[in-house]
Amino acid sequence: MNYFLTEEQQMIQELAAQIAREKIKPVRAQLDEQEEFPWEIMQVLAQADLFGLYIPEEYGGMGGGILENCLAIEQLAQACIGVATSFAASGLGAYPILLYGSEEQKQRYLPEVAAGKRLAAFGLTESSAGSDVSGIKTTAVRDGDHYLLNGNKQWITNGGEAEIYSVLALTDRSKGPRGASFFIVEKGDPGFSFGRKEKKLGIRASATRELIFQDCRIPKDRLIGREGIGFINAMKTFDKSRPGIAALGVGLSQGALDLAVEYARQREQFGKPIITFQAIQHKLANMAIKTEASRALLYAAARHMDTEPPDASKLAAMVKVFSGDVAMEVATDAVQILGGYGYMQDYPVEKMMRDAKILQIYEGTNEIQRNIIGQELNKEYSRIKETFF
Amino acid sequence: MHIVVCIKQVPDTKNVRIDPDTHTLVRQGVESIINPFDLFAVEAALQIKDASSATITVITMGPPQAEEALREVLSRGVDAALLLSDRAFAGADTWATSVTLSAAIRKLGNVDLILCGKQAVDGDTAQVGPEVATLLDIPYATFVKKMEPLDAQHLKVTRQTDEGTEVWKLSTPALITVIKEVGEPRLPSLRHKMRAKKAAIPVWGIAELGLDANDVGLCGSFTQVVRVFSPPRRTDRVIIEGSLEEQVEQLYRYLKEAKVPGI
Amino acid sequence: MKALVDGKKCTVCGVCSDVCPFGAITVGETSVEISDECTLCGMCVDTCEFGAISLPEVGAGPAADLADYNGVWVFAEWRDGTVHKVSYELLGAGRQLADKRGVELAAVLLGHGLGEALSSELIAYGADVVYLVDHPQLARFTNEAYADVLVDLIHKKRPEILLAGATSIGRSFIPRVAASVRTGLTADCTELDISEEGLLLQTRPAFGGNVMATIVCPNSRPQMATVRPKVMRPVRQPEHPGRSEVIEVSDGIFQNRVEVLEVIPEQDQTAKLTEADIIVSGGRGLGKAENFVLLEELAQLVKGAVGASRGAVEEGWIAPSHQVGQTGRTVAPTLYMAVGLSGAIQHVVGMQGSKIIVAVNKDREAPVFDVASCGVVADLFEFIPAFIRKIKQERE
Ligand SMILES: Cc1cc2nc3c(=O)[nH]c(=O)nc-3n(C[C@H](O)[C@H](O)[C@H](O)COP(=O)(O)OP(=O)(O)OC[C@H]3O[C@@H](n4cnc5c(N)ncnc54)[C@H](O)[C@@H]3O)c2cc1C
Ligand SMILES: Cc1cc2nc3c(=O)[nH]c(=O)nc-3n(C[C@H](O)[C@H](O)[C@H](O)COP(=O)(O)OP(=O)(O)OC[C@H]3O[C@@H](n4cnc5c(N)ncnc54)[C@H](O)[C@@H]3O)c2cc1C
């Protein structure tokens, strides 16, 4: 379908698709099985200038926005969302700096992130603070020209692999949500270490680790923006990053659909290709409808969000929920269409189904997204004077 | 350092058609790719550029649509491209191809290193590189898998031979033909892709090269293809099935009857 | 393009102008002038008794002195002081060509301190004469030294045909010879013959063996070809008479722009793909690096080499020097055994010139069976060990 992408946007798609086809697809099964971090592919993506798509040109990026980033993520995700997650998470880690960082911080960190020389990561979740972000316990205490960080961050994507971490910590416990602040912590900072690599159901090419801060001492200029705006920064960051999760979903759905259709056309039972059975056709039709709908919503919303609209949070949540749910459904249906073969590791849909589940969990569960949408609707309609009855 | 890389657009081996009348290749309708060995040559040039400061010009002799191949290579980081295209170039054998390429390289001037693929996968002759070097009167080494500059005037190369490897020292300017081991070709980058899309690619014909129409293309060629045909298909195919012992026995007898030395 | 006039020789007699069927020749003050109407028919060339008119040496018109070239030459390669097999094969082919043309067959041997025995062997394989150049600069192969000496000999002796092996040496320096003497060169021939007009008919595979082309070199000499090893048949005729002629070359020939620093023979015997009569090749079906041991064992047993598909090389199971196919080596052994290898076109083009291709694959639909002369539908992990046992058993 023609989404009227610009020439440059089409180039991004082409390039990411080429990388997915030539570099990711041949190794995805191996990366999954060996739970290997895809460093080689990260280098290819870096060399291809894709890490800087959403970063302004003055900081070494390509000067695009959410849409450009999503176009790349979608193509990579068609091959493997484990790899694509590692890529997208660097953006998640860089957004707090891009949104609220000082000019010096931007100059110092963004060009390296844009060039893919260093990966970034985003540290928010803790063992007791998942959906409820206000439950975080990690603290940052000012000590002269430094801050001292203490606490643990759990399940951090790119943990241990990234070199730049945006970490949320409480600077003033008494102020509740207004007492949290973001800090930049670098790999190698004293008192900063990592837990073991998590064993996961899917996206096994991505690395998920605990971040451990024990009297971690960082210079005071690592504070992003000012004290107390941490939660706002986190929410604004999610507005930018959640469409990326949606793009992972769109790509995964397309990848699963492609395999399912191709398989259904060649697999014969009862003397004919199974695609001739209406039950299979309808399943494929539903998969195709949902995939295209999630893509259409994503592209339209991403374009809209690149204009910095007031309803960004609602739309970011919408695209995340929709394409995450679609991806889960489509991947499950793809396994069904491949039957027993689909259940075997010899075929990639088994991995896709395992992988898809994460899309409904991380960067805010889909329940939480619906909460956000609901709350936003409540606010929105409270401002409308007219009645619809 | 100025490096020239010679690339050739070739039909994807999977589908090749020969015009029965002219015995020349019909390229229209067949998907074209860049000769795989030439991508290794481009990669080798880019590696030198990564390590020092080199400018890379890529050239091809071919029909106007060969421009596509040049843009593809520009998108991988090559600095400039030049298309040698003229009706008169059509039907060139390796000599006439080399006459054209060497005239262009001479006109570019100040070239320190010329890189070619080991061979083109269509014509398959592996002759163009050595012939270009000969016409330019510069030393060359073929089948190179590793190369490093020794000093401003010398190059050390490791070449693959039938019997092993050899290490040669060449004075520059020199021409090198490369094999796969020089390095996996990198993919395009977005910046280079954008630049490649807009880049102006000059087209030189016989007039620009100062060549006579009779020196190039079919007219300028020494060799002439008089017949092109499909190789006879194997019709005597045997399929061995059955129990393991039977299969082993059958194959052994088959090879024995064919008098394969060593069996 | 038009006929060329040598102003120094032209006497402005005007005979040529009269015979020109196209009216392309006008008589000028000091020499005749030829216009663009010239079709290079050559009438004028034949009539000019002063030899003032010639046709350009390239392209459509025949060069004046084709008849001055005479004899068939074979470039004789050697390794470690003995003649390379391909040279005997070329002498076999060259003998037939020379007999058809009724000319001498010569072998050209370049080297330093090569024994007498080599010349006698070349004669025993059919050479009427061996031209020997002995020079320290030829002790090791370089393109320039070998080519420039051979070019010098060609200028001196003017052979009509020159054959060389399509080995890593032949394919490397022969193009320089062809370009230096300004003649055509046909690569990698698998068939040679003489046409009714006495031209060398050179047949070769192109497009990775998907197409065969017969090529001639009508207007320049020598007609040069590299010939694929293992295709032509060597014929030893111990009684064949022949002579050996030592030829001196001047030191000035050597340009010394290339220095051979090191020659490192392949230690791994199984990597000598181009020399082997038998190649046992493995693909992704082998599953892991350790399983290549199976193929190595079989290869060693039959004194063959081990090849691999790109897939196996990319998995890192075996070194790239073993790769057969479009981006690897092109091989044509007597027997090629493709084991656990699907037979992607890119692989097939590197091996389809083999005399016998045996495919071992458990998937009956694998494309490799399409090119195989003999297909074995079996699990390689059962079949190969059993086949090894069988060979050992038969040898006992
Ligand atoms: C592979 C992976 C990578 C991750 N990467 C990162 C990362 O890079 N950085 C980071 O900071 N975090 C990361 N996370 C953490 C992730 O964002 C959290 O897991 C997620 O926010 C949910 O938190 P939780 O797991 O504690 O679930 P909980 O919050 O305990 O939720 C459990 C269940 O209850 C539901 N629930 C909770 N509250 C409500 C409510 N109010 N209404 C309705 N339902 C509710 C949830 O939807 C869920 O179904 C990652 C997680 C995983 C699994
Ligand atoms: C069936 C067939 C058989 C032929 N056989 C012969 C033959 O035996 N002898 C002969 O002289 N000609 C032959 N030709 C003609 C030959 O294919 C063309 O001359 C061709 O332009 C160059 O030769 P190649 O493809 O073998 O290239 P190769 O010599 O194998 O190419 C080596 C390298 O030279 C460079 N190169 C080659 N062509 C170009 C180009 N057009 N532009 C830029 N760089 C280039 C590339 O770097 C390439 O990797 C044959 C053609 C056909 C169709």
Side-chain angles (χ1 to χ4, degrees):
Chain A
M1 190 154 120
N2 185 353
Y3 284 102
F4 299 100
L5 299 175
T6 63
E7 205 171 61
E8 285 177 12
Q9 288 164 345
Q10 289 174 38
M11 272 188 223
I12 294 168
Q13 272 185 326
E14 258 171 43
L15 185 54
Q18 187 180 8
I19 294 171
R21 195 172 53 239
E22 292 179 22
K23 302 286 174 182
I24 304 179
K25 225 166 120 189
V27 297
R28 63 181 170 191
Q30 182 195 330
L31 292 172
D32 177 58
E33 195 177 320
Q34 298 176 1
E35 310 194 6
E36 214 179 289
F37 188 77
W39 269 117
E40 271 179 38
I41 300 169
M42 293 299 121
Q43 269 149 24
V44 171
L45 294 167
Q47 196 267 124
D49 299 325
L50 295 184
F51 273 105
L53 285 173
Y54 59 94
I55 293 177
E57 284 171 79
E58 65 252 50
Y59 305 121
M62 301 302 296
I66 293 172
L67 180 57
E68 282 74 15
N69 206 26
C70 285
L71 289 171
I73 293 171
E74 178 194 346
Q75 295 302 323
L76 302 177
Q78 276 197 39
C80 173
I81 70 163
V83 172
T85 290
S86 310
F87 169 75
S90 191
L92 174 64
Y95 262 122
I97 305 174
L98 181 57
L99 291 174
Y100 289 96
S102 65
E103 188 56 29
E104 291 76 42
Q105 286 170 337
K106 290 181 187 174
Q107 292 288 1
R108 165 136 187 233
Y109 294 103
L110 295 180
E112 290 180 329
V113 173
K117 285 206 184 94
R118 298 169 97 192
L119 288 183
F122 180 83
L124 190 156
T125 306
E126 298 182 10
S127 56
S128 56
S131 298
D132 181 7
V133 183
S134 65
I136 64 163
K137 296 205 171 71
T138 300
T139 54
V141 177
R142 180 74 181 264
D143 177 19
D145 285 343
H146 292 82
Y147 279 97
L148 272 186
L149 268 63
N150 277 290
N152 293 350
K153 294 286 169 186
Q154 176 172 275
W155 305 334
I156 304 308
T157 302
N158 287 351
E161 313 292 342
E163 293 182 54
I164 301 165
Y165 294 80
S166 292
V167 176
L168 189 69
L170 295 174
T171 34
D172 190 343
R173 217 186 280 269
S174 65
K175 287 193 183 150
R178 295 188 181 284
S181 313
F182 260 108
F183 293 91
I184 303 166
V185 184
E186 291 186 42
K187 193 177 187 174
D189 279 338
F192 178 30
S193 62
F194 304 101
R196 69 175 177 89
K197 190 166 164 178
E198 302 290 346
K199 295 262 180 194
K200 305 193 292 289
L201 171 69
I203 57 164
R204 292 182 174 171
S206 75
T208 316
R209 285 193 181 84
E210 191 179 8
L211 312 183
I212 303 166
F213 304 100
Q214 281 173 311
D215 288 334
C216 168
R217 178 181 287 273
I218 53 172
K220 69 174 195 304
D221 65 9
R222 300 277 193 83
L223 171 70
I224 299 178
R226 52 189 164 77
E227 283 191 16
I229 59 161
F231 278 115
I232 300 170
N233 193 348
M235 295 312 132
K236 295 274 183 215
T237 292
F238 285 140
D239 290 350
K240 299 285 186 190
S241 68
R242 280 179 184 144
I245 304 301
L248 291 171
V250 176
L252 187 139
S253 300
Q254 187 64 53
L257 175 65
D258 290 346
L259 291 164
V261 178
E262 186 177 321
Y263 184 84
R265 280 166 44 79
Q266 49 145 65
R267 170 69 172 174
E268 287 189 14
Q269 287 294 286
F270 301 99
K272 41 188 164 176
I274 61 169
I275 199 167
T276 58
F277 304 133
Q278 200 177 50
I280 299 288
Q281 283 180 8
H282 283 187
K283 207 182 273 300
L284 288 171
N286 285 332
M287 291 161 73
I289 295 166
K290 289 176 199 163
T291 301
E292 203 59 66
S294 70
R295 179 181 292 120
L297 177 60
L298 171 64
Y299 288 9
R303 273 198 183 105
H304 173 65
M305 283 183 276
D306 277 330
T307 64
E308 309 286 342
D311 58 352
S313 297
K314 184 183 77 181
L315 279 159
M318 280 183 172
V319 293
K320 199 247 158 189
V321 167
F322 190 69
S323 68
D325 288 352
V326 162
M328 192 67 240
E329 289 165 25
V330 170
T332 308
D333 285 348
V335 171
Q336 189 64 21
I337 286 171
L338 268 75
Y341 291 101
Y343 200 72
M344 299 298 149
Q345 295 202 344
D346 297 342
Y347 286 81
V349 289
E350 164 267 349
K351 170 183 178 296
M352 289 177 168
M353 183 172 162
R354 285 188 285 109
D355 284 352
K357 190 66 207 164
I358 193 60
L359 298 169
Q360 297 174 308
I361 299 174
Y362 63 10
E363 292 214 18
T365 65
N366 279 9
E367 287 77 10
I368 294 300
Q369 303 309 307
R370 290 186 166 87
N371 290 353
I372 294 172
I373 298 165
Q375 286 149 14
E376 291 292 323
L377 287 175
N378 193 12
K379 271 195 258 171
E380 213 175 293
Y381 282 75
S382 71
R383 288 190 291 263
I384 299 176
K385 296 288 177 289
E386 148 194 21
T387 168
F388 294 100
F389 287 99
Chain B
M1 171 127 139
H2 185 196
I3 306 173
V4 167
V5 186
C6 302
I7 69 162
K8 183 181 184 190
Q9 205 179 33
V10 296
D12 210 345
T13 352
K14 274 166 263 169
N15 27 21
V16 172
R17 200 166 73 83
I18 304 289
D19 186 317
D21 300 326
T22 62
H23 296 319
T24 50
L25 258 175
V26 183
R27 267 129 205 268
Q28 270 97 5
V30 175
E31 211 182 311
S32 290
I33 54 169
I34 297 173
N35 180 34
F37 287 102
D38 300 350
L39 288 179
F40 301 136
V42 169
E43 176 59 29
L46 289 170
Q47 283 173 13
I48 294 174
K49 187 181 155 104
D50 289 343
S52 60
S53 58
T55 4
I56 307 170
T57 305
V58 59
I59 64 176
T60 189
M61 180 192 90
Q65 58 266 34
E67 190 192 294
E68 230 177 277
L70 294 173
R71 290 203 193 275
E72 161 70 33
V73 173
L74 283 171
S75 77
R76 292 173 194 244
V78 160
D79 299 287
L82 171 61
L83 175 63
L84 309 175
S85 195
D86 195 309
R87 289 193 56 84
F89 295 153
D93 72 352
T94 60
W95 161 264
T97 302
S98 305
V99 165
T100 309
L101 292 175
S102 57
I105 294 168
R106 213 175 279 122
K107 182 169 168 170
L108 282 171
N110 292 325
V111 175
D112 304 289
L113 180 62
I114 301 161
L115 294 173
C116 290
K118 167 192 145 193
Q119 71 191 69
V121 299
D122 54 349
D124 259 353
T125 68
Q127 289 172 187
V128 170
E131 292 188 349
V132 167
T134 305
L135 289 172
L136 291 171
D137 192 23
I138 59 173
Y140 68 98
T142 49
F143 320 139
V144 167
K145 58 177 180 182
K146 204 174 130 211
M147 84 187 139
E148 52 197 296
L150 276 181
D151 52 55
Q153 272 83 46
H154 294 93
L155 202 64
K156 189 169 121 180
V157 302
T158 307
R159 54 191 299 271
Q160 177 79 50
T161 67
D162 292 344
E163 288 80 23
T165 51
E166 292 182 357
V167 184
W168 286 13
K169 179 179 163 185
L170 286 83
S171 63
T172 53
L175 183 145
I176 306 290
T177 81
V178 302
I179 57 174
K180 183 191 173 84
E181 281 92 331
V182 291
E184 172 82 5
R186 67 192 64 187
L187 293 181
S189 82
L190 194 55
R191 280 196 183 84
H192 290 312
K193 225 173 144 74
M194 288 173 172
R195 185 178 52 90
K197 189 114 195 170
K198 299 192 184 94
I201 297 181
V203 183
W204 290 358
I206 47 171
E208 286 81 4
L209 291 174
L211 291 172
D212 190 290
N214 292 311
D215 295 337
V216 298
L218 196 59
C219 292
S221 294
F222 291 124
T223 63
Q224 195 177 319
V225 178
V226 287
R227 185 172 164 231
V228 176
F229 56 102
S230 299
R233 288 275 145 223
R234 288 180 198 272
T235 48
D236 51 347
R237 183 156 59 106
V238 191
I239 289 284
I240 300 181
E241 274 165 315
S243 76
L244 187 62
E245 289 84 72
E246 283 165 15
Q247 288 183 312
V248 166
E249 183 62 36
Q250 280 188 50
L251 179 64
Y252 185 80
R253 254 190 289 123
Y254 178 87
L255 297 178
K256 212 60 195 174
E257 273 162 30
K259 296 200 173 64
V260 174
I263 297 284
Chain C
M1 192 154 70
K2 48 195 176 188
L4 307 171
V5 182
D6 185 341
K8 289 191 209 98
K9 291 182 183 162
C10 181
T11 60
V12 210
C13 67
V15 176
C16 57
S17 177
D18 296 339
V19 299
C20 178
F22 304 98
I25 304 179
T26 50
V27 183
E29 276 191 33
T30 57
S31 91
V32 294
E33 279 160 34
I34 299 177
S35 77
D36 287 345
E37 310 291 305
C38 172
T39 64
L40 296 171
C41 70
M43 296 286 280
C44 54
V45 178
D46 290 342
T47 53
C48 178
E49 56 186 288
F50 309 101
I53 308 182
S54 62
L55 293 179
E57 282 215 1
V58 290
D65 57 352
L66 290 191
D68 292 358
Y69 289 79
N70 189 288
V72 177
W73 280 17
V74 165
F75 171 74
E77 277 185 52
W78 49 267
R79 302 285 190 284
D80 303 322
T82 51
V83 175
H84 190 288
K85 270 189 282 180
V86 71
S87 305
Y88 296 143
E89 296 162 12
L90 293 184
L91 286 170
R95 188 66 263 165
Q96 292 185 3
L97 300 176
D99 290 346
K100 276 191 189 162
R101 295 282 302 142
V103 295
E104 243 186 11
L105 174 64
V108 181
L109 189 57
L110 312 184
H112 182 54
L114 294 173
E116 278 289 300
L118 273 73
S119 299
S120 344
E121 274 307 293
L122 292 168
I123 292 168
Y125 275 91
D128 299 316
V129 55
V130 176
Y131 296 122
L132 177 70
V133 183
D134 186 297
H135 196 283
Q137 292 273 13
L138 299 171
R140 278 177 166 180
F141 168 76
T142 60
N143 295 313
E144 296 200 325
Y146 271 57
D148 296 353
V149 168
L150 189 51
V151 167
D152 188 54
L153 296 193
I154 291 170
H155 284 319
K156 282 178 180 148
K157 306 254 175 198
R158 307 191 146 217
E160 61 187 284
I161 289 173
L162 171 66
L163 308 178
T167 59
S168 55
I169 287 183
R171 293 197 104 192
S172 189
F173 91 102
I174 292 292
R176 177 174 174 89
V177 176
S180 300
V181 301
R182 299 177 155 256
T183 190
L185 171 60
T186 307
D188 220 13
C189 297
T190 54
E191 223 183 294
L192 297 170
D193 203 354
I194 299 287
S195 76
E196 281 167 16
E197 302 83 47
L199 285 178
L200 180 63
L201 296 171
Q202 310 159 92
T203 300
R204 60 172 300 245
F207 299 100
N210 290 320
V211 156
M212 301 296 291
T214 302
I215 291 166
V216 295
C217 176
N219 307 316
S220 60
R221 293 293 176 271
Q223 305 165 82
M224 291 179 51
T226 59
V227 180
R228 196 176 270 192
K230 297 195 208 309
V231 176
M232 304 296 169
R233 225 163 53 82
V235 185
R236 195 175 147 87
Q237 313 157 269
E239 307 302 310
H240 181 79
R243 64 184 198 282
S244 171
E245 204 176 296
V246 176
I247 298 182
E248 299 295 330
V249 291
S250 73
D251 287 344
I253 277 189
F254 301 101
Q255 301 200 48
N256 296 320
R257 295 186 292 193
V258 175
E259 190 185 332
V260 180
L261 301 178
E262 236 180 312
V263 175
I264 309 155
E266 177 69 62
Q267 292 305 316
D268 178 359
Q269 291 303 315
T270 67
K272 295 189 166 181
L273 291 177
T274 35
E275 289 178 13
D277 281 323
I278 299 181
I279 294 176
V280 188
S281 229
R284 277 190 205 269
L286 281 164
K288 55 179 179 210
E290 294 76 55
N291 290 336
F292 263 92
V293 174
L294 262 183
L295 304 192
E296 277 156 23
E297 190 186 343
L298 177 54
Q300 270 160 17
L301 193 61
V302 298
K303 297 209 164 47
V306 176
S309 72
R310 177 170 149 184
V313 170
E314 276 179 0
E315 292 285 354
W317 299 340
I318 188 162
S321 51
H322 292 266
Q323 187 182 324
V324 171
Q326 189 170 77
T327 51
R329 308 271 197 106
T330 302
V331 297
T334 311
L335 168 62
Y336 189 87
M337 275 185 84
V339 181
L341 197 154
S342 67
I345 180 80
Q346 288 82 355
H347 183 77
V348 169
V349 298
M351 57 77 145
Q352 63 186 357
S354 311
K355 279 214 186 73
I356 298 175
I357 296 173
V358 172
V360 180
N361 202 309
K362 65 179 173 197
D363 175 8
R364 215 188 175 298
E365 304 298 313
V368 69
F369 286 121
D370 297 340
V371 289
S373 19
C374 175
V376 181
V377 186
D379 182 340
L380 77 96
F381 297 109
E382 289 172 7
F383 183 82
I384 298 294
F387 190 59
I388 292 173
R389 278 196 301 277
K390 172 78 181 170
I391 296 176
K392 285 185 179 160
Q393 201 183 319
E394 291 287 333
R395 286 195 186 163
E396 276 166 11

